[in-house]
Amino acid sequence: MAAVASETVNLVINDVEIAVPKGELIVESVKRLGLEIPIFCYHPRMKPVGMCRMCLVEVGFKQPDGSVRKMPKPQAACTLPAQDNMVIFTDTEMVHRDRKGVLEFLLINHPLDCPICDRGGECPLQNNTLFYGPSTSRFIEVKRHAHKAFPLSKYVTLDLERCIQCGRCVRFTEEISGDSELAFRFRGASMQPSTFELRDFTSKFSGNVIEICPVGALTNREYRFRARPWDLETKPSICLECSNGCATWFDYRVNRLVRVNGRTNEAINEEWTCDRGKFGHEHYNADNRLTVPLIRRGDRLEECDWPTAYAAILSAFGVGGDKVAMLAGSSLSNEGAYLLNRLFHRKFGSANVDYRRTAHTLPPDEAAGNAPTAIADLELKPSILVFGNSPADDIPIIFLRIRKAWFKHGARVVVAHHGETEADSFADVVLRYAPGTDADLAKGLVAARANDAAGVAQAAAACGVDESRIREAAALLGENTAIVTTDSLLNSASGADAFRALRQLGGELNRYALGANDQGFADLGLVPGPDGRGTAAILAGCADGSIESLWLAGADPFAFGDRATVEKALEQVGFVVYQGTHKSEAMGFASVVLPMAEPAEGDGTYVNAERRLQELRAVLSPPGEAKAAWRIGAELALRVGMAKPYFGAKDVAAEIFTQVPAFRGVAFGDRLN
Amino acid sequence: MSELLQLGSVNQRPQPPKREELTLRFSDAAVKELDALRTHYPEEKACVLPGLWIAQREYGGFLDGEALAEVAYRLDRSYAEVEGVATFYSMYNTAHRPGRHKIEVCTCLSCHVNGAYRVWDYLKSKLGVGHGETTADGEFMLEEVECLDACDRAPVIQVGDQYYGPVDDAYMDRLLDELRASPVNTVVQMADSIVAVQVTGPEREAAHR
């Protein structure tokens, strides 16, 4: 944060003097000395509530005569701001007795079913009880009983008996995700966090409440009973389900991914995950993973070895030039994409490579410089314009930042989209335009900024938004506005025009990528050269026979293209290389199938939507004979005599750092030039 | 609570109602009253409590899911938040349909020593219902409550916004007959009188014109 706390106060914590910013919560000040206060309800990213009373400390004030006068009762450190002359005791007999008492109360109703609880082994209640709690309970009465293992949604299981009513999950949905789908119902001992009438928990960020629950009340339905925490191994990873590139932990057991948890990265996801990322990695364990190379013999795909597959490919692509083409899929690493791109440009002499999946594209000179605003900087923007996309769907973690900018720093938000979005709930102005009139509205905003009444009236008539609304929105925008669009804007016919118009609006215009490494492809130049063909032209070329060989590098054209067009293209083209991780419909058209490792099964670097370069080291090993993308590229390069051998993804990355200007001198974790 | 549990298939749980699916049952007067309330507070969140009283009146004394959803919709709050507020307070009838008259029997100290439980047992046997239950004809609901702050009249009972006491069996016979004969729904009447405290004078006249 830019602002430096100007005022400090002097505290004494357990006889140690320390200066801390005025107003800092004692629970945070104590951490500065490396001490720990046990907590349940306090969470550093949410407002304190003081519900669990676990963080009680003794507090006194220095008197003029030098003595310390203690407050008669212990205080909750999570709601107590630091003041001058304050004296904190975290280790007195009274504090220990209080902690025992609080834990005894919390355990009155908590079922001690730790042996069958998913949280057992990594449970804050278990840990705090072990370190600070009483060894036995004096309560012999019957415990509260409620529904166990209630499926709140397809991701989250609610066990009301285990709940200690700390309110972390309720506050998360109120303060962070903003859907307020959880609330406390009823009162006293029967108070329970739940959705409205216990209906489905539909939040797009529901997985986070599982991680912040300090007991096993909210558990992961996919991970349920899969493993005990102490049997798991874990490695840092990044999530590649969308372009945000969140930091995650991949927990695995015997080379099988069992769950994904959020990992702290202040620059991107803080510590949150979206449901797509947290629960979307089941494809790692799918039954239809490809494990051996296949080659077409007659109407069947038969198993073969890698050299046979490579030889078949190189002979088919030998024609080169305009007759071959490649489509890249979004989870290819920079290394894999770079090597294939180089193979096409240098060896096959073809510029027909593309990764873009949108219906329309921007010309290359306008497409550059996609994302001037870093995700973390969005938080401090005075105003944000969300244009032509639903951020919670397209870029979920960026959505959380936009919401945080509003919730914490009072940013003014304008949402312009043809459908409902989650961001409407906190937007100052919502501009709901008729589908396809993106450009009209963008021009209207520009006209309103320039006080061009005729222009506003014309735009308002075209896009069906009130003139006054457009003016109201434009008044909130300025030079410091961050404009958030995504590639999905380009699925609209007037999206490119809208993008051009938004450029005149001033402020920082962002067009965030949608696919995991799309931004990396853009910076590596994985786009058709001046005489090359783009995605649509490649598919058309396949259909009319002008392209003879097509390489699908992790791409599944059925997922984005018009069905009839794609089918015709794949039927007509002579030779299809399907380089992928899973069996799919497109594989049925393949001449050669190359099994590829999932991102976390091999080393690689990726560039996220804000152009941050991140390194992913292999967490798992690939199934069967599948190979990481860089390895496939490297082996082909060696075969065509293009390179000295690469012994790892690092060697390829080193070459990218010297060869690609955008990557020159960039360290892992930094944004590209 | 059990009637609120709707398990459904694990992958097809009942969804939160969509805005267009809501059945809006607030009368014109109620909508105007709510609009008037909005001007009393800096934000709409503050209107949840009085909004629930209006809903309790409009929905015949019982706040079911539809009533809560309508309040949430009209005040732009989340459904869960309104439900949380409504289930916290015992004067909002969220768990049981109260019938026409809700008889609340105080069983705290003063009433207790003055024979509240004798009255309680008598009512239970006479009406054939227990705590939190409504008679089959939908006339009376019985509820045991904490101190009603009227120890001078112990044992005291509350029906709608009226206190009665000291009561005994004969008093109760008479009162039940009177209530049965009266055309008024005291649960709705009480909700209305609480709304009338919040929306007063010209605002209320304008709403009910």
Side-chain angles (χ1 to χ4, degrees):
Chain A
M1 210 90 9
V4 178
S6 50
E7 219 178 326
T8 58
V9 292
N10 293 314
L11 292 180
V12 179
I13 302 175
N14 293 352
D15 299 332
V16 181
E17 280 201 38
I18 182 174
V20 302
K22 188 177 181 180
E24 186 181 67
L25 298 172
I26 296 299
V27 67
E28 291 290 331
S29 308
V30 166
K31 286 184 195 162
R32 290 171 186 267
L33 290 180
L35 297 172
E36 194 207 0
I37 292 182
I39 48 170
F40 290 118
C41 70
Y42 176 73
H43 192 285
R45 295 185 205 277
M46 298 190 286
K47 289 179 187 166
V49 285
M51 283 177 97
C52 70
R53 317 311 291 174
M54 193 63 234
C55 60
L56 293 177
V57 290
E58 258 193 288
V59 179
F61 283 95
K62 265 194 240 167
Q63 301 299 308
D65 64 358
S67 65
V68 173
R69 196 170 156 205
K70 284 186 181 176
M71 290 189 185
K73 283 184 184 176
Q75 302 292 313
C78 72
T79 51
L80 191 68
Q83 299 164 41
D84 246 333
N85 295 323
M86 220 178 217
V87 187
I88 311 288
F89 303 91
T90 69
D91 200 22
T92 60
E93 203 194 323
M94 180 180 174
V95 171
H96 286 286
R97 210 179 52 232
D98 292 338
R99 287 174 182 164
K100 274 202 171 64
V102 168
L103 278 164
E104 193 173 4
F105 272 128
L106 288 177
L107 292 171
I108 289 176
N109 275 323
H110 187 84
L112 295 173
D113 59 352
C114 309
I116 56 148
C117 177
D118 267 348
R119 202 72 163 142
E122 52 175 17
C123 172
L125 181 61
Q126 219 176 23
N127 293 347
N128 284 345
T129 306
L130 182 66
F131 289 119
Y132 306 105
S135 53
T136 52
S137 171
R138 287 171 292 173
F139 283 86
I140 52 167
E141 286 80 4
V142 177
K143 293 195 181 216
R144 169 191 69 187
H145 283 290
H147 297 276
K148 290 195 79 74
F150 184 82
L152 208 53
S153 75
K154 66 180 174 193
Y155 299 132
V156 183
T157 303
L158 173 65
D159 189 320
L160 284 171
E161 284 189 355
R162 293 183 190 145
C163 177
I164 58 166
Q165 307 171 333
C166 71
R168 273 187 175 188
C169 54
V170 173
R171 282 179 291 144
F172 175 84
T173 63
E174 270 174 27
E175 296 178 23
I176 310 289
S177 71
D179 43 62
S180 296
E181 277 198 54
L182 294 178
F184 275 126
R185 303 195 307 171
F186 309 113
R187 190 167 37 153
S190 48
M191 184 164 85
Q192 44 179 257
S194 74
T195 50
F196 175 61
E197 294 190 320
L198 279 172
R199 287 166 189 258
D200 202 22
F201 184 23
T202 58
S203 169
K204 284 169 182 153
F205 302 93
S206 64
N208 292 297
V209 302
I210 298 165
E211 278 177 61
I212 59 175
C213 180
V215 293
L218 293 157
T219 49
N220 185 330
R221 268 195 57 205
E222 284 188 348
Y223 168 70
R224 199 171 163 73
F225 302 147
R226 259 191 191 173
R228 306 311 316 260
W230 54 84
D231 289 333
L232 295 175
E233 292 179 85
T234 187
K235 279 188 187 163
S237 176
I238 51 176
C239 172
L240 292 164
E241 296 303 310
C242 82
S243 59
N244 290 190
C246 299
T248 54
W249 292 108
F250 271 27
D251 291 0
Y252 61 98
R253 190 181 172 194
V254 208
N255 203 39
R256 194 180 156 87
L257 183 67
V258 292
R259 68 171 174 186
V260 175
N261 276 342
R263 181 163 60 94
T264 301
N265 182 349
E266 298 296 342
I268 302 174
N269 57 324
E270 299 185 279
E271 66 186 77
W272 313 121
T273 53
C274 68
D275 285 358
R276 192 142 53 109
K278 190 170 171 65
F279 304 106
H281 287 81
E282 284 303 295
H283 54 81
Y284 274 70
N285 302 327
D287 292 334
N288 62 347
R289 287 293 302 274
L290 291 169
T291 54
V292 282
L294 306 172
I295 193 162
R296 182 164 295 281
R297 299 225 162 82
D299 55 358
R300 277 161 40 87
L301 281 168
E302 287 176 11
E303 290 186 11
C304 68
D305 54 8
W306 282 92
T308 315
Y310 285 147
I313 292 170
L314 290 177
S315 74
F317 279 76
V319 292
D322 196 35
K323 294 192 163 146
V324 299
M326 173 177 78
L327 294 175
S330 55
S331 58
L332 223 52
S333 63
N334 287 331
E335 289 74 14
Y338 169 79
L339 289 176
L340 283 181
N341 195 24
R342 209 184 50 165
L343 185 70
F344 267 76
H345 278 284
R346 300 249 189 95
K347 186 67 192 175
F348 301 154
S350 168
N352 299 339
V353 292
D354 206 353
Y355 71 92
R356 292 169 295 182
R357 298 175 300 280
T358 48
H360 306 271
T361 50
L362 283 172
D365 55 322
E366 290 181 60
N370 275 345
T373 317
I375 295 176
D377 292 344
L378 278 172
E379 200 176 312
L380 297 172
K381 292 286 170 194
S383 59
I384 296 171
L385 167 63
V386 176
F387 195 95
N389 69 91
S390 167
D393 296 304
D394 280 5
I395 38 175
I397 291 302
I398 293 178
F399 166 80
L400 289 187
R401 281 292 177 158
I402 297 172
R403 189 171 188 285
K404 188 178 177 194
W406 165 77
F407 188 80
K408 266 213 150 138
H409 304 287
R412 314 294 297 270
V413 179
V414 177
V415 177
H417 189 44
H418 55 73
E420 264 186 46
T421 74
E422 274 79 359
D424 296 354
S425 63
F426 55 87
D428 279 277
V429 184
V430 177
L431 305 170
R432 182 88 66 249
Y433 55 81
T437 59
D438 320 66
D440 295 306
L441 179 62
K443 284 172 192 153
L445 286 170
V446 174
R449 290 268 293 149
N451 283 326
D452 166 13
V456 177
Q458 195 188 348
C463 64
V465 181
D466 256 15
E467 275 181 54
S468 58
R469 294 246 137 205
I470 296 180
R471 276 202 204 91
E472 212 180 313
L476 294 176
L477 308 177
E479 285 307 310
N480 287 322
T481 301
I483 305 174
V484 176
T485 71
T486 67
D487 275 347
S488 59
L489 184 60
L490 295 173
N491 281 326
S492 161
S494 66
D497 285 338
F499 197 70
R500 279 178 206 116
L502 288 172
R503 219 182 262 294
Q504 301 162 30
L505 207 53
E508 291 176 354
L509 176 57
N510 297 284
R511 185 168 52 84
Y512 291 117
L514 290 178
N517 200 25
D518 280 1
Q519 188 57 52
F521 301 154
D523 284 306
L524 285 170
L526 194 74
V527 283
D531 47 353
R533 312 192 201 197
T535 303
I538 289 173
L539 288 175
C542 291
D544 67 23
S546 60
I547 289 177
E548 291 171 13
S549 301
L550 175 67
W551 193 312
L552 298 175
D556 179 6
F558 284 107
F560 57 85
D562 165 58
R563 198 172 172 79
T565 318
V566 173
E567 227 163 49
K568 180 141 187 274
L570 293 183
E571 267 167 19
Q572 295 300 321
V573 71
F575 193 89
V576 177
V577 177
Y578 178 80
Q579 174 186 343
T581 53
H582 291 76
K583 288 178 185 149
S584 77
E585 198 181 348
M587 190 185 100
F589 298 90
S591 314
V592 172
V593 174
L594 301 179
M596 190 166 66
E598 290 273 14
E601 290 168 350
D603 296 340
T605 62
Y606 298 85
V607 179
N608 81 346
E610 53 162 354
R611 303 181 79 222
R612 195 176 293 283
L613 180 67
Q614 302 197 91
E615 188 186 23
L616 172 57
R617 306 288 297 276
V619 176
L620 308 162
S621 51
E625 294 176 34
K627 288 180 179 174
W630 75 266
R631 191 180 285 278
I632 296 174
E635 289 179 358
L636 278 161
L638 207 58
R639 249 156 235 277
V640 298
M642 279 180 66
K644 58 184 192 313
Y646 302 102
F647 293 105
K650 275 210 148 71
D651 294 347
V652 188
E655 192 175 315
I656 295 177
F657 282 126
T658 58
Q659 299 293 320
V660 185
F663 288 74
R664 205 160 286 154
V666 177
F668 292 132
D670 284 353
R671 299 172 72 212
L672 298 185
N673 305 322
Chain B
M1 197 194 77
S2 56
E3 66 266 49
L4 297 178
L5 274 177
Q6 316 173 356
L7 190 61
S9 144
V10 165
N11 290 316
Q12 277 187 310
R13 307 266 345 280
Q15 295 294 306
K18 295 205 173 60
R19 307 218 134 184
E20 56 273 17
E21 292 168 5
L22 298 176
T23 49
L24 301 179
R25 280 166 49 186
F26 271 29
S27 62
D28 287 348
V31 174
K32 281 183 195 149
E33 277 172 339
L34 196 59
D35 285 341
L37 275 172
R38 270 187 250 261
T39 64
H40 294 197
Y41 304 103
E43 52 182 299
E44 300 204 323
K45 186 175 185 169
C47 299
V48 171
L49 285 176
L52 285 167
W53 277 116
I54 297 179
Q56 184 147 311
R57 184 189 72 197
E58 297 295 314
Y59 281 74
F62 179 50
L63 292 174
D64 55 5
E66 284 182 8
L68 299 175
E70 175 161 1
V71 174
Y73 165 75
R74 292 196 182 276
L75 294 174
D76 205 17
R77 315 305 310 166
S78 87
Y79 301 130
E81 181 186 335
V82 173
E83 191 191 22
V85 171
T87 51
F88 182 88
Y89 297 103
S90 56
M91 282 166 86
Y92 295 121
N93 304 317
T94 50
H96 309 282
R97 202 170 281 281
R100 216 149 65 84
H101 307 287
K102 181 166 152 188
I103 301 172
E104 293 165 89
V105 182
C106 172
T107 53
C108 263
L109 189 62
S110 307
C111 295
H112 188 168
V113 297
N114 281 295
Y117 276 108
R118 234 180 14 245
V119 177
W120 175 250
D121 290 342
Y122 178 71
L123 281 173
K124 275 211 308 193
S125 63
K126 177 158 175 141
L127 297 175
V129 290
H131 170 72
E133 290 171 6
T134 308
T135 53
D137 58 3
E139 289 286 311
F140 300 107
M141 176 186 182
L142 207 50
E143 215 169 65
E144 185 180 346
V145 296
E146 298 303 325
C147 188
L148 288 176
D149 188 25
C151 303
D152 55 325
R153 291 191 265 168
V156 69
I157 66 157
Q158 181 182 359
V159 179
D161 50 5
Q162 291 291 317
Y163 279 12
Y164 300 92
V167 295
D168 55 16
D169 296 357
Y171 190 113
M172 284 316 302
D173 283 339
R174 219 165 42 243
L175 181 61
L176 289 181
D177 288 341
E178 266 173 40
L179 288 172
R180 199 168 270 135
S182 121
V184 181
N185 182 330
T186 52
V187 177
V188 172
Q189 185 196 40
M190 175 174 172
D192 186 49
S193 57
I194 289 175
V195 174
V197 171
Q198 320 236 8
V199 186
T200 49
E203 282 172 352
R204 190 162 164 88
E205 279 165 28
H208 286 271
R209 189 168 294 146

